Amino acid sequence: MRVPASTYRLQIRESFDLNTAARIAGYVHDLGADWLYLSPILKAEEGSDHGYDVVDHSLVDPARGGREGLDAASAAARALGLGVLVDIVPNHVGVATPKQSVWWWDLLTHGRQSRYAEAFDVDWEFGGGRVRIPVLGDEPDPELQIIDGQLAYYDNRFPIAPGTADDGASAGEVHSRQNYELMNWRRADAELNYRRFFAVNTLAGIRVETPWVFEESHAEIIRWITAGLADGLRVDHPDGLADPAGYLDALAAATGGAYVLVEKILEGGEQLPTSWATSGTTGYDALADVDRILVDPAGRMALDALDSALRDSTEPVSWTRLIHGTKRAIADGILRSEVLRLERELDHAEPHATGPHETGPHATGPHEQTADALAELLACFPVYRSYLPLGIEHLLEAVRLAKDYRPELAQRIDELLPALSDPSHPAAIRFQQTSGMVMAKGVEDTAFYRYTRLGSLTEVGADPSEFSIGIDEFHRRQQVRQASFPLSLTTASTHDTKRGEDVRARITVLAEIPTEWAAALGELRDAVPLGDGPLELLLWEAIVGAWPASRERLHAYTEKAAREAGNSTGWTAPSEEFELRMHALVDSAFDDPHVVGILERVLDAVRQPGWSNSLSAKVIQLTAPGVPDVYQGSELWETSLVDPDNRRPIDFDERRLYLAAIDAGAHPPIDESGAAKLLVTSRALRLRRDRPELFSRYAAIEAYGFAAKHVVAFDRGAALTLATRLPVGLARSGGWGDTTVIVAGRPVTDVFTGRTFEGGTLLLSEVLERYPVALLIPNE
């Protein structure tokens, strides 16, 4: 199995296709990355910017360069010694435009008789033998038409089954004879009868556990490996699968044991199952560790107090209670159809059960309580999912918590437990697939926008209730990573992160200046009142963290953040009055001299410390245990906000020019250009690729002196990393002074500056004189 020393993620799309990837392979190699890492490349919905809505498994997307483009990208990589990692999507297919989706179109045409009926996860009985498609608007009599032999609703087109369109039949009559039912979009929450990706109606789940579905959906993917076009695969959302472990075993068998990663979010101390045929995760857990070692624990009380004041509360908000509420709202709301399908699975196993039941907090009777109990268990589930029999303890924890929250459901919960803990029971399988949906939508897509005391803590894969970690705990976690999954990715930014790594690094500085921040926020709120304290905090954090950002970018982020939070406005029922005030807040950052002055004062306080945090986070991520991944363009300052902002075009010509200057001997200042970060990134990546023997272990390096808490230092075998933390406190205390670290008694060279130091006791004031980070190697 070939494994990478590092990866460089590229978002492949029509405007940056595989042929373009081939042309920048030389830059990626010069940067020091070891593998090209490609976003999904199978044929996707036309115009898709992300590629996760696959519509034809047999084709490399022509819009993304097609088969010839993949050949070119792979050949360019091979010529430079680069490996190739490709993101794949086994859980679902895109169905936004049915005609484009090969399997879905056939399913809608032929219904249960379709060859692909077995591929989709449809509850036919619940739909009266039809697939329910939530596309109709609120008009009382939707206007359906027959156009070119297809059923039309505005721009939507659907197939007509053979023999169901008599000459005299109206469009409505024809619709009633089809294998699908077009229904009002609002009914999807509770009445949908096919499994989706989370709550996205246009992404339909498939049963990849069925052997022929696996074979046909993976034939082209396997060809990439066997033909030598790719070396490894990144598996998207394995938690949506009925049997993730079985899927990974099948993938390993088909690829000859190729390097495989899983997009898996681990909660708290949760460990990736060691029985899985995978080299590790895509690295969100590492991201959380790196962020938290840079957060000042002394700022917690002040930021908690600020957050409480914004909520008109006397106590800090409880993260546990908050996510219980948001997860329960998701289970009762946009994912209610999944809960009710679980209820039906359980009822099918109980012969005495009857038809539809009243559900919800006021339901009565043992069977009427089933959906209520299921929703409560999902709201209480402490991790994304279990993999029975692995993770049974998580189910038992959910049972305990659910009984505490809803003691009146205790009996029904106990009655459900045998089925939900049986790995072979259909309800247990579906419950495991559903718990991750509820977690993702309730936590990442809702609670993360409501829990705003420090925005850098609310990141994918992180636990926002963990404010910071100490140096000893950081070292312990890295030692565990080195011992358990040393080939797992480590990442700092991805296409899914809520904020780019350098936005988080700047926001983190606020924990060092909480009093100054609270005062500035108060002035901003007085100047531009919004009426939603937590959201105001979130938005001003984002503006400070991403500045300078365009007006358009900030308006787009603000609208998405506010609607995801769902407190003062929302996606399905936006508040026009509130959103006008919200957009006025953004405009004030550009147009109101008073607001601009306040922001400039805050930016002056956080800009340089934020850059210091950025360089520290980068060198730690690139040199700590694991395989470091660099998200496209993030070798310069990565100031993106949530998607689609993080899929903006990258100026590779600018990066080439900066890299050439650095290679010619320039030592860039730490400034707006981000060239200092490019220096750090390129030197660390090259060292990992060209000198892997320097990264054979992980050991903490102790610092001595009054500023010892301000450095993170570790030994990777012969490469030594030094990174500054809490830079505001360091500056206020007078700098490094006589703080030292002790290394082997031989000369070492800093790969960032080229300076050589005698071994033994190193003064940090000397080693970190030019940059807040150093990467030392034996002087040869």
Side-chain angles (χ1 to χ4, degrees), residues 680-693:
V680 168
T681 302
S682 62
R683 274 34 186 176
L685 287 177
R686 291 177 184 180
L687 192 65
R688 292 211 65 161
R689 180 190 65 196
D690 301 336
R691 301 288 305 279
E693 74 279 4

Side-chain angles (χ1 to χ4, degrees), residues 59 93 107 144 153 195 199 290 357 404 414 436 452 520 572 687 712 759:
L59 296 175
V93 298
L107 177 79
L144 302 178
Y153 175 68
R195 181 173 58 86
V290 174
H357 304 133
D404 286 345
D414 285 338
T452 59
T572 58
L687 192 65
V712 179

Side-chain angles (χ1 to χ4, degrees), residues 422-453:
D422 178 358
S424 64
H425 197 290
I429 295 170
R430 190 167 300 280
F431 184 91
Q432 293 175 96
Q433 292 175 283
T434 306
S435 62
M437 299 185 198
V438 173
M439 177 75 85
K441 296 304 297 179
V443 177
E444 293 171 28
D445 292 346
T446 307
F448 273 14
Y449 294 93
R450 297 184 183 181
Y451 194 75
T452 59
R453 63 175 175 175

Side-chain angles (χ1 to χ4, degrees), residues 736-741 757 761-769:
W736 292 111
D738 62 355
T739 307
T740 61
V741 295
F757 305 91
T761 301
L762 300 179
L763 272 172
L764 293 183
S765 60
E766 294 181 1
V767 179
L768 302 179
E769 181 181 16

Side-chain angles (χ1 to χ4, degrees), residues 37 144 179-180 192 295 337 355 431 462 518 525 589 642 679-680 718 727 775:
Y37 171 11
L144 302 178
N179 294 301
Y180 55 85
L192 209 64
V295 176
S337 60
F431 184 91
R525 296 185 69 215
V642 72
L679 166 70
V680 168
L775 181 54

Side-chain angles (χ1 to χ4, degrees), residues 517-552:
W517 171 234
L521 182 67
E523 293 178 56
L524 291 167
R525 296 185 69 215
D526 288 341
V528 197
L530 183 59
D532 183 334
L535 183 65
E536 288 173 88
L537 177 55
L538 180 78
L539 298 183
W540 288 118
E541 284 176 332
I543 291 170
V544 168
W547 199 264
S550 71
R551 192 186 300 256
E552 293 74 21

Side-chain angles (χ1 to χ4, degrees), residues 93-106:
V93 298
V95 298
T97 308
K99 185 64 175 177
Q100 294 181 27
S101 190
V102 178
W103 293 10
W104 188 249
W105 186 262
D106 194 88

Side-chain angles (χ1 to χ4, degrees), residues 52-53 134 208 287 347 376 381 411 595 605 620 622 664 770:
Y52 289 96
D53 43 3
V208 75
L287 177 156
D347 281 351
E376 193 61 37
F381 211 78
Q411 180 179 345
V595 170
I620 292 171
L622 294 176
R770 178 172 290 168

